[in-house]
Amino acid sequence: PSSRPEAAAGPTMAPPTSGPPPSPEYVQQLQAWRNNRIQRLKAPDGWLSLAGLFWLKEGTNTFGADPGQNLVVQVQGAPPRIGTFTLARNQVRFTAAEGADVRQGGAPAREVVCRSDAEGAATVMTCGTLSWSVIRRGEKLGVRLKDSANPRIAQLTDIPMFPIDTAWRVTATLLRYPEPKEVLTPTVIGSMIQEKSPGVLSFRIAGQSCQLQPVEEADGSLFVVFGDATSGTETYGGGRFLEIPKPDGTNKTIIDFNRAYNPPCVFSPYATCPLPTSENILPVRVTAGEQMVLGFH
C-alpha cells in the first residue's frame, strides 16, 4: 500500500532473548497451522486465485475480456463478453451475455440479483475457471474476480518464517472498556472499517509493557492487525494479522506471535486489507511469524 505504517518514534526495543525450547507438540501444531494456511491460500478459491477487482458505477457495467467492456477481464481464455452488472438503488443485478456459460450453484444462470459480502454469504457465479461475487467497501460496491487456474497458485511453494521462539508466546490481559468501543480501521483502498473493540490487550515483552487494541469476533475470539519495527523491511509494510483465543474468566489469553501471518495484500493486488491503527504499531522488532514473501505484490 502507498501508506505504510512506521514504527513508533523513539528507541526500538530489541527482540526478547530466546525462550525455553519448544515442545515437539507445539512445533507439530505450528507446522500443521502453517501447512493449512498454505493450502487455504492455494485453494481454487483462495487468495491466490484473485484475478481482478472492479468498482461498479451507477447503471450498466459490461463485463468480459473484450477491451471494449467497462470491466475488462485480463485472464487468458476468458469469454469476450460474460455479462452485465446493473447497479441501481444500491442493488446489483447480473445479466449473462448471450452464449456465455454462466452458472450459479452449478445451474445455468441468466439473470441474478447479487447479494454482497456485507449481507452475509455473497452470491457466487461462475463461468469456466472464473468465479465472481459482489463486495461492499464503505459506500462502494465492486466485483471480486477469481480464477481457479491462476498461475499465482502454483507459484507459491512456501512462506518464509522466523524461527520458532517461545519467548514470543506471551500471556496478555484484556483490560475491558466499560462498553465495547467503536474503532475505525483504515484499509489499503483508502476506506475505513467501523468495528468494535472490547478493550486493550496488555502484555510484557523483554521486560517492556506493550498494548494492542483488538476487535472481537462473533465467537468471542480476538483479531488484531499490527505493525512493528520490522514492517516494510523483514515483514510486509502493511502489517500482519493475529488471531487470539477468547479470554478466560479472568480476562487472560495467549498472544502467540509465532502465528502472526501476512494479509492477503501480500499475495494479490486485488485485496482490500485493513491496516494497523496507530494504537497497534509496536515499538519492537517482532521477529516471529511470517516474513515478507517476494514476487507476489
Side-chain angles (χ1 to χ4, degrees):
S2 56
S3 56
R4 297 192 170 190
E6 300 294 333
T12 299
M13 291 153 41
T17 54
S18 294
S23 69
E25 293 77 17
Y26 179 65
V27 173
Q28 192 174 27
Q29 288 168 7
L30 270 184
Q31 189 60 54
W33 170 82
R34 183 180 186 181
N35 292 343
N36 181 57
R37 167 140 169 80
I38 293 174
Q39 285 172 11
R40 285 186 288 119
L41 283 168
K42 291 171 70 69
D45 62 347
W47 288 113
L48 288 165
S49 73
L50 289 192
L53 175 62
F54 311 97
W55 299 111
L56 297 172
K57 60 177 176 57
E58 196 74 18
T60 60
N61 303 260
T62 55
F63 178 59
D66 189 305
Q69 303 295 287
N70 301 125
L71 316 178
V72 180
V73 175
Q74 296 181 326
V75 174
Q76 190 171 4
R81 293 175 180 81
I82 300 173
T84 301
F85 294 94
T86 304
L87 172 58
R89 294 184 295 278
N90 233 13
Q91 185 185 75
V92 179
R93 183 182 297 272
F94 178 81
T95 306
E98 288 294 331
D101 183 21
V102 175
R103 296 175 177 264
Q104 183 195 357
R110 171 68 183 158
E111 192 163 312
V112 179
V113 174
C114 304
R115 191 166 70 168
S116 77
D117 62 346
E119 302 169 81
T123 305
V124 177
M125 284 165 286
T126 63
C127 181
T129 63
L130 302 178
S131 64
W132 60 88
S133 59
V134 173
I135 65 171
R136 177 182 287 280
R137 296 295 180 267
E139 296 301 309
K140 299 199 295 186
L141 285 162
V143 177
R144 169 171 279 166
L145 178 67
K146 297 182 177 183
D147 176 18
S148 62
N150 195 325
R152 283 172 175 259
I153 295 173
Q155 286 169 13
L156 182 72
T157 56
D158 197 14
I159 300 174
M161 293 189 74
F162 289 102
I164 297 171
D165 188 344
T166 58
W168 287 107
R169 190 175 185 274
V170 299
T171 300
T173 302
L174 179 64
L175 307 175
R176 292 187 180 272
Y177 300 130
E179 293 290 333
K181 179 181 174 182
E182 295 283 349
V183 294
L184 288 174
T185 301
T187 72
V188 293
I189 60 169
S191 63
M192 301 294 284
I193 306 170
Q194 187 168 309
E195 300 173 293
K196 287 190 174 180
S197 173
V200 172
L201 286 165
S202 177
F203 54 97
R204 296 180 72 81
I205 293 177
Q208 301 282 340
S209 294
C210 292
Q211 289 190 333
L212 287 169
Q213 184 181 58
V215 296
E216 191 168 35
E217 305 285 15
D219 62 0
S221 64
L222 306 174
F223 177 75
V224 169
V225 184
F226 77 96
D228 67 276
T230 70
S231 300
T233 53
E234 297 159 277
T235 63
Y236 180 54
R240 289 181 287 169
F241 292 175
L242 256 181
E243 293 165 9
I244 301 166
K246 179 181 179 179
D248 64 18
T250 63
N251 286 318
K252 296 274 196 275
T253 187
I254 298 293
I255 301 178
D256 191 350
F257 287 99
N258 291 295
R259 291 178 182 247
Y261 63 98
N262 288 310
C265 287
V266 166
F267 304 98
S268 174
Y270 305 121
T272 61
C273 304
L275 295 167
T277 58
S278 57
E279 292 87 351
N280 284 349
I281 299 178
L282 298 171
V284 61
R285 288 180 63 243
V286 178
T287 54
E290 291 185 355
Q291 295 175 284
M292 187 57 192
V293 183
L294 298 177
F296 281 89
H297 189 58

